[in-house]
Amino acid sequence: MLQSSFRRILKLRFAPQRLTSFFCSTSCPHSPSSQSQTCSHNTARGSDSSNIQDPTRRVFRSRVNGLLRSIDSRILAKGPDDVETYIHDKISVSKFDNVYRSTMFNRLIRFLLERDLFKLATSVYKRMLQEHFFPSRDIVTAMTEIVDDLADAFVTIHNVDLSASGNMVNVMVTACMRAGQMSTAERWLKKYESDCMKQGFAPDAAPYAGILETLQEIQPENSEAVQATLYRMRSEGVTPNISVFNALIRSSLARREYTKAFGLYHAIMVNLSASLLPSDLTFKKLFHVSKIWGHARSRKHKRPDNAVPPRQLFRDMVQCHILRTRNAPLAHSNIVSVSCLHLALRTFMALEDYPAALMTLRAFDHLGFQPNLQTYLIVITSLVLRIKQELGHVCRADQYRFADFVTHMRPREPPDNDVLEWRIQHGEPVVKLSGSACVGPEIVTHLLTLGEPTTSSPSEAAHAGRKRLPTSAVPTVDMLMGATLLSPFQELSLAPLVRLLRKMTFVNLFKKAMAGKREGWDWKMAVGPILSGAKEEMWRGFELPPESRPVTKQKRRGHIGAKRGSLPFSASRVRKMVKKQTLQSMQGRRTSQISISE
């Protein structure tokens, strides 16, 4: 067993206490609301229980004391080997469910550590984290020391060479740093660097990337420590990877050093190679800060001169994905993900760049991703917030707003400048609002109906028909608001969002036309070059190979099934069986009808 095999090697520095005094000790609870209880517990530690004013708290403490006494008796009677199941049964939610549960976990772990029952303490600690409770500081320190001593014992017994264990060193160093044991983290890193020097090659960048990420978590303003880590990497000959760059970009953005952050991004793009490509985390951070700059009230965040426009960021992301997958756009990579596409879409919607948002939707089909309910929520929520913001402001009689055009636009009708202007002037909105600045479900319903197909050009109809699969669906208002659950295997269609964003592009043109001179300006012809310009800027040099186009339903469903873990072949057999039974039943009905008629 662990405690019998490593007891001589483990050097746990957790100060033991007597059982009587330990029963009166408490630890930090998991919720901020109970921090006042922790202070009162700490002041009352070692004192008589009659000093506790709250009788409920006294009952909870008594139950924890009884639990620890029963576990102690069980250990003395049957030994520590057969007590793990007993402990987990005693601390189950059905038997011990109250506001004192976090303190119970902390006290139980401390109780087990004082008796050198490391395996049991680790098991309870793991359960505590699984139930989303925060351990106290001394418990975290003690558990980190256990992991440190175990790893040190393993390395010592087996004479492990750490030069090939960069990931393990990364875990140990970051765990020690989070527990506040900087000297232990330094010892692991020095041992790793010494072993690498003996083998004659430079250390891996993983431990140093972990150090930079951990510094951002525990000391986000400590730029001197970041510079010292970079100097150490340079002196050891470490080649930085994308994890190091991501950590530096993250820390620079946290300190609002935007020029430095985009300088790091330019350094990545200049030195592009198979071993150094930006990841989805790189683009997520930069898209996020671009979305912040788009807010009109953002005075604290100034856009630097070397900032990359969001459209160029998107183009770089697609090109790096193609480079990573060797011109196989439907292949998986760590550069493009659904969450990254959603953040790009959210950025363009916040910037009111609807042509770029429309081009972002193309990535779902071209790169083999399936849109979900979040895709619809990003588009619809952004439009609803813009409408609500504009309706809350008073405008002049001759001033036209984005919300006016949207509320006067009819579904299944091609947008027309003159018709919309006439409806606005005569006060004939399509959707009736309950108040001047009240936006409710009727606006969401209206936006969804604007995504329905119109009597447009054959090219748009063919485009929508190619995009939308027969089994794809359009979410309802109840689905968007969470009242109705959407099946996890239900595919959503991109076609309504494509139509809606095309109309929003027209609306932006209408607003521009109404605000200026319209003589000799053909707004219908202006939409084509705008969309073509967005396509050229964001998808330049990207040609989808014919063999990788997601045309057929079978290939698309196979990709989604592989991601979600479904069984497409079994489902196909079930569908065929149901179809066969339906045909047989229909034939039986026809035969019976013929016999009756005869």
Side-chain angles (χ1 to χ4, degrees):
M1 193 173 179
L2 184 146
Q3 47 261 37
S4 61
S5 302
F6 292 99
R7 183 166 296 173
R8 294 182 180 179
I9 302 174
L10 291 174
K11 304 177 292 299
L12 183 63
R13 293 169 290 278
F14 193 87
Q17 297 179 358
R18 292 182 302 172
L19 186 62
T20 54
S21 63
F22 175 66
F23 280 148
C24 298
S25 64
T26 57
S27 302
C28 178
H30 71 286
S31 62
S33 61
S34 55
Q35 291 180 357
S36 59
Q37 298 180 5
T38 304
C39 299
S40 61
H41 289 173
N42 292 334
T43 56
R45 182 178 297 173
S47 60
D48 188 73
S49 59
S50 61
N51 295 331
I52 301 177
Q53 301 296 329
D54 190 357
T56 305
R57 189 186 307 166
R58 191 184 312 163
V59 172
F60 290 155
R61 289 168 61 88
S62 177
R63 289 192 60 188
V64 175
N65 294 342
L67 171 68
L68 298 181
R69 281 194 292 266
S70 64
I71 294 175
D72 194 26
S73 301
R74 183 83 174 192
I75 294 174
L76 294 175
K78 296 189 176 182
D81 296 340
D82 300 328
V83 77
E84 183 174 1
T85 304
Y86 176 81
I87 291 177
H88 285 284
D89 179 68
K90 282 291 185 180
I91 65 175
S92 61
V93 178
S94 60
K95 295 184 178 181
F96 206 100
D97 183 19
N98 51 52
V99 295
Y100 215 64
R101 187 170 179 80
S102 174
T103 305
M104 178 272 297
F105 273 118
N106 283 296
R107 295 183 62 186
L108 178 57
I109 294 172
R110 188 184 184 106
F111 171 84
L112 297 172
L113 289 176
E114 289 181 348
R115 285 150 182 77
D116 295 336
L117 302 176
F118 306 122
K119 182 179 179 180
L120 295 176
T122 305
S123 178
V124 177
Y125 183 76
K126 181 179 179 181
R127 178 167 182 170
M128 182 181 186
L129 297 180
Q130 289 176 349
E131 295 188 15
H132 305 289
F133 288 104
F134 292 146
S136 61
R137 180 76 178 188
D138 55 351
I139 295 297
V140 173
T141 303
M143 297 306 298
T144 305
E145 290 179 357
I146 292 177
V147 176
D148 172 46
D149 290 337
L150 283 174
D152 192 24
F154 178 81
V155 171
T156 303
I157 292 175
H158 296 278
N159 195 19
V160 177
D161 184 11
L162 293 181
S163 61
S165 305
N167 291 330
M168 187 190 82
V169 175
N170 178 26
V171 172
M172 295 306 306
V173 170
T174 55
C176 293
M177 290 179 63
R178 290 188 177 94
Q181 302 177 3
M182 299 301 176
S183 59
T184 308
E186 177 68 18
R187 176 172 56 83
W188 277 101
L189 189 59
K190 283 186 176 180
K191 178 69 167 58
Y192 175 63
E193 293 172 348
S194 176
D195 290 350
C196 291
M197 184 180 297
K198 293 178 182 178
Q199 296 297 329
F201 53 81
D204 187 71
Y208 303 94
I211 292 174
L212 294 173
E213 293 174 359
T214 309
L215 284 174
Q216 171 59 28
E217 295 176 5
I218 62 178
Q219 299 177 0
E221 302 298 332
N222 193 352
S223 58
E224 292 80 5
V226 174
Q227 295 299 327
T229 304
L230 295 178
Y231 179 79
R232 185 168 186 167
M233 291 176 59
R234 190 181 301 110
S235 61
E236 294 291 335
V238 179
T239 302
N241 57 8
I242 191 58
S243 299
V244 174
F245 278 100
N246 285 340
L248 293 174
I249 291 175
R250 178 187 176 188
S251 61
S252 299
L253 293 177
R255 294 190 299 268
R256 297 178 182 176
E257 298 175 353
Y258 301 127
T259 303
K260 183 183 296 184
F262 278 94
L264 291 167
Y265 176 75
H266 288 297
I268 297 174
M269 300 305 295
V270 169
N271 299 278
L272 278 183
S273 63
S275 58
L276 182 61
L277 284 173
S279 65
D280 60 338
L281 295 177
T282 313
F283 293 105
K284 284 179 182 178
K285 293 297 180 182
L286 299 181
F287 273 126
H288 178 70
V289 71
S290 299
K291 182 170 69 71
I292 294 177
W293 291 335
H295 295 164
R297 299 180 181 179
S298 179
R299 298 179 180 179
K300 297 181 180 179
H301 308 273
K302 295 183 179 180
R303 185 185 182 92
D305 295 335
N306 64 340
V308 180
R311 290 189 177 189
Q312 183 179 344
L313 278 177
F314 184 88
R315 184 178 72 245
D316 293 344
M317 180 180 66
V318 174
Q319 290 179 350
C320 291
H321 171 73
I322 297 300
L323 181 60
R324 170 72 73 184
T325 59
R326 298 180 180 180
N327 202 26
L330 297 181
H332 174 74
S333 73
N334 65 334
I335 298 175
V336 181
S337 61
V338 175
S339 58
C340 190
L341 291 179
H342 281 165
L343 187 53
L345 181 62
R346 188 178 286 110
T347 301
F348 291 126
M349 293 299 297
L351 298 176
E352 300 176 3
D353 190 354
Y354 301 134
L358 185 61
M359 294 300 114
T360 304
L361 294 179
R362 292 166 52 95
F364 286 90
D365 271 333
H366 290 348
L367 304 182
F369 293 101
Q370 177 66 28
N372 52 30
L373 197 62
Q374 186 67 22
T375 313
Y376 273 80
L377 285 173
I378 291 172
V379 176
I380 299 297
T381 303
S382 177
L383 296 176
V384 169
L385 290 178
R386 182 178 179 182
I387 293 173
K388 181 179 180 180
Q389 183 180 6
E390 292 190 356
L391 291 178
H393 293 79
V394 180
C395 62
R396 301 189 306 270
D398 58 341
Q399 184 180 2
Y400 296 95
R401 302 171 297 186
F402 175 86
D404 297 330
F405 290 106
V406 174
T407 54
H408 288 77
M409 184 180 294
R410 292 180 180 176
R412 296 181 176 274
E413 177 185 73
D416 187 276
N417 187 7
D418 299 329
V419 174
L420 288 177
E421 183 181 7
W422 186 89
R423 290 175 186 165
I424 294 174
Q425 293 175 352
H426 290 77
E428 297 182 1
V430 177
V431 56
K432 299 292 184 180
L433 302 179
S434 55
S436 59
C438 182
V439 177
E442 65 277 358
I443 289 292
V444 180
T445 305
H446 180 64
L447 292 175
L448 290 176
T449 56
L450 289 180
E452 296 177 355
T454 60
T455 56
S456 56
S457 60
S459 60
E460 181 181 352
H463 175 79
R466 181 176 64 85
K467 298 290 181 182
R468 185 169 180 174
L469 299 175
T471 57
S472 58
V474 179
T476 61
V477 178
D478 292 337
M479 292 179 181
L480 293 176
M481 301 182 68
T484 304
L485 296 179
L486 182 67
S487 173
F489 298 101
Q490 178 63 59
E491 297 181 4
L492 297 181
S493 174
L494 274 178
L497 291 181
V498 171
R499 301 188 194 101
L500 178 61
L501 289 180
R502 287 180 65 91
K503 290 184 178 180
M504 296 305 104
T505 305
F506 276 103
V507 168
N508 273 348
L509 287 179
F510 292 160
K511 184 179 179 182
K512 179 180 178 181
M514 298 302 178
K517 299 180 179 180
R518 293 188 295 159
E519 291 79 3
W521 185 59
D522 191 350
W523 53 269
K524 294 183 179 180
M525 297 298 296
V527 176
I530 290 177
L531 296 179
S532 300
K535 179 181 178 181
E536 174 67 18
E537 192 174 354
M538 299 173 63
W539 291 91
R540 183 188 309 164
F542 177 81
E543 292 293 338
L544 192 64
E547 64 273 8
S548 62
R549 291 182 182 273
V551 178
T552 62
K553 172 183 173 181
Q554 182 178 0
K555 181 181 295 186
R556 184 67 172 271
R557 291 186 65 88
H559 175 75
I560 299 301
K563 285 182 63 177
R564 295 180 176 175
S566 62
L567 299 176
F569 298 104
S570 176
S572 177
R573 288 195 298 269
V574 171
R575 288 195 299 270
K576 291 180 180 179
M577 181 181 65
V578 173
K579 183 178 179 180
K580 183 178 180 180
Q581 292 177 354
T582 305
L583 292 176
Q584 290 178 354
S585 61
M586 292 177 63
Q587 292 177 358
R589 291 178 182 177
R590 291 177 182 177
T591 305
S592 60
Q593 290 177 0
I594 293 174
S595 60
I596 292 175
S597 61
E598 291 177 353

